[in-house]
Amino acid sequence: MPNREVLKHHAGLVDQMATKLGVDLQQSAIDGDVSLDELSEAVLRCTGCANPAHCEGYLKQSGQVDKTPEYCRNQELLGKLIP
């Protein structure tokens, strides 16, 4: 199990990626579009990513994007939530 700092870092990456896609994860959870368990699993999947540094660079681009990078381990989940 990843340590707390790693989990916090990757939780931030998941949230930033969602925001970059125009997805509000908190609202998606409130609306029932995603469960808290699914969000927890998304963070755990993210900790297994081989490209977190590239992801951070991707997230620094200005403006929204319409899809995650190909390597994103949460591509399917986040893709379902895009408005």
Side-chain angles (χ1 to χ4, degrees):
M1 178 85 159
N3 71 39
R4 184 180 179 143
E5 289 305 310
V6 169
L7 289 172
K8 284 174 62 176
H9 177 71
H10 285 272
L13 292 176
V14 170
D15 187 52
Q16 290 172 51
M17 185 64 73
T19 300
K20 194 80 165 154
L21 293 164
V23 174
D24 181 332
L25 287 179
Q26 184 176 5
Q27 191 61 49
S28 293
I30 290 168
D31 293 345
D33 296 330
V34 65
S35 71
L36 294 180
D37 284 345
E38 287 175 304
L39 292 176
S40 296
E41 288 296 320
V43 172
L44 288 176
R45 272 192 303 275
C46 185
T47 65
C49 179
N51 292 304
H54 186 273
C55 182
E56 291 168 10
Y58 183 83
L59 292 169
K60 288 179 182 173
Q61 296 178 52
S62 62
Q64 278 190 233
V65 296
D66 59 356
K67 63 181 182 174
T68 65
E70 289 298 316
Y71 59 80
C72 182
R73 297 175 62 124
N74 288 304
Q75 189 174 41
E76 184 178 336
L77 174 70
L78 294 173
K80 291 189 320 186
L81 298 173
I82 295 173

